[in-house]
Amino acid sequence: MARHSPVTGRYVTIEVDGNEYKVFYLHNGTGQPLICQHTAGAHNHQWRGLLEDEEFTRDYNIIAYDLPRHGKSDPPHNKEWWKEEYRLTAEHYVNFIVKLCDALELKDPIFMGSSFGGNVALQLALRRPDRFKAVIPVEAADHAPGFFLDWWRHPHANAAQVCASGVWDLMAPQSPEMDRWLTWHYYSQGSEAFKGDLYFYSVDHDLREELQNIDARRCPVVMMTGIYDYLTPPEATENTARQIRGGVYIEMEDIGHFPMSENHEVFRVYLREALRIVKERTS
Amino acid sequence: MAVDVKTWASKFKNLTDNDETIQCMGKYYTCSFLYDMTDRKVIVEMHDGKVKNINTDPAPLDPYDFALRASAQTWREFAKPVPKPMFHGIWAASFCEDLKLEGNLLVLMQNLRNFTVQFELLRKCGVPV
């Protein structure tokens, strides 16, 4: 008897700002759409625990996609992308997510992302509060400078290992060794996109003067950060949430910057609370 | 009470040379680095994943590729079985604490996988400060 997972994968082709993307996504569950973004330089396997967690799939239609250039989502098929340096911008990132939600006909989805996925969740709350029921920025802040580094693809070093081991201690030492090494493995696969992703994360994403324009009473914003996150330390997230009208901050113990991937069992406790708050504020 | 540096060096070498995660990809892990613990300095010389030598009393001009410098207290935190947040790795401590990474950092990046695994062995053998 084959041991099939209930998670299924599909491709959908969309056009975003003149780019034709064939996007791969994983899916499981029914009910309220919950669309999930992986971290920079990684792919949707980071959400493997959530995608098979029956407590959540019972009530949520969970979709975890690969951003173009990550995992099984190719770079654009209609562009000579190899002739220019990849640098992700906030505008393109937001446009992509909205186009993907439109293509999948998601009604009032909740958007959740971690790290650069968390930062774009804030961008969505600012730019498209009409399109999302709520956002859950994980390991996010209004500004996250310092990680747009040449080391991520220095030709004299093994970029796969630099990226994977360079983010190693973004994870908590308490997280299970297997999950930390799986996360390491994902990072070894994404080195060519990592630096371009971090252009958004550390350079183009800067909401320090915009937080007052986010209204979490219209589109709830529930932020969560782990105490072992050195890149977006808890105080950075708390300070961001405090400046958003109606913003909520949840601190996560004994976990780091990749909570859904490094320790789903700990993360799920906090996610349950975040979704409870969203439900309370939107029903 | 800090462990004697010679005893520490022997433990650190033994842990490194027998660590499966390092040894399975140890080939070419060849470099040297300074652990500057303020009250104590050591130079670790690696060759193909094995500790070739630990210089426990380095002279001012003894060479190495790169250096990690921090207070003795920071090194003691590194060596806790479960370090506090921001003392759980060289990136965390250099972003948020007093760790300085100096010297030829390209060599560090070229060896980052194994160096990182080896650094966490301090949680098992402690530090000599």
Side-chain angles (χ1 to χ4, degrees), chain A residues 29-49:
Chain A
T30 54
Q32 165 66 47
L34 174 61
I35 187 159
C36 304
Q37 168 71 57
H38 55 77
T39 64
H43 56 73
N44 58 9
H45 277 199
Q46 288 186 317
W47 296 101
R48 65 194 178 283

Side-chain angles (χ1 to χ4, degrees), chain A residues 172-181 262-264:
Chain A
Q174 298 94 330
S175 291
E177 192 171 24
M178 174 62 79
D179 292 294
R180 283 187 290 151
W181 277 103
E262 67 178 85
N263 197 340
H264 174 69

Side-chain angles (χ1 to χ4, degrees), chain A residues 211-231:
Chain A
L211 293 178
Q212 72 276 10
N213 296 323
I214 298 176
D215 187 354
R217 294 168 301 186
R218 182 179 182 195
C219 175
V221 178
V222 183
M223 304 186 74
M224 304 196 288
T225 284
I227 63 169
Y228 276 89
D229 186 347
Y230 71 80
L231 203 49

Side-chain angles (χ1 to χ4, degrees), chain A residues 127-245:
Chain A
R127 297 168 187 238
R128 293 302 307 270
D130 58 304
R131 186 66 184 84
F132 296 89
K133 185 169 195 171
V135 297
I136 303 176
V138 182
E139 316 299 329
D142 52 356
H143 187 47
F147 232 44
F148 183 60
L149 302 171
D150 285 339
W151 291 122
W152 306 128
R153 58 158 192 231
H154 196 296
H156 295 186
N158 179 335
Q161 291 189 354
V162 172
C163 293
S165 292
V167 301
W168 178 258
D169 57 67
L170 278 166
M171 294 182 276
Q174 298 94 330
S175 291
E177 192 171 24
M178 174 62 79
D179 292 294
R180 283 187 290 151
W181 277 103
L182 283 173
T183 306
W184 186 94
H185 175 67
Y186 306 151
Y187 264 91
S188 73
Q189 300 171 330
S191 54
E192 277 301 307
F194 192 38
K195 188 184 174 196
D197 289 346
L198 293 170
Y199 178 77
F200 164 74
Y201 179 79
S202 279
V203 181
D204 203 41
H205 171 78
D206 186 351
L207 296 182
R208 285 175 293 180
E209 304 298 323
E210 296 279 0
L211 293 178
Q212 72 276 10
N213 296 323
I214 298 176
D215 187 354
R217 294 168 301 186
R218 182 179 182 195
C219 175
V221 178
V222 183
M223 304 186 74
M224 304 196 288
T225 284
I227 63 169
Y228 276 89
D229 186 347
Y230 71 80
L231 203 49
T232 309
E235 57 269 24
T237 305
E238 185 174 17
N239 186 48
T240 300
R242 190 164 34 79
Q243 294 179 69
I244 295 172
R245 276 173 294 171

Side-chain angles (χ1 to χ4, degrees), chain B residues 27-73:
Chain B
K27 193 176 180 184
Y28 303 120
Y29 180 30
T30 300
C31 60
S32 60
F33 46 87
L34 173 75
Y35 284 169
D36 180 348
M37 308 180 193
T38 304
D39 299 343
R40 172 74 69 185
K41 295 180 176 62
V42 297
I43 295 174
V44 178
E45 299 171 44
M46 298 299 303
H47 183 80
D48 273 347
K50 298 283 173 66
V51 174
K52 182 180 175 187
N53 182 50
I54 298 182
N55 178 349
T56 57
D57 189 21
L61 297 183
D62 283 353
Y64 51 82
D65 293 313
F66 59 91
L68 283 74
R69 303 183 194 277
S71 63
Q73 183 55 35

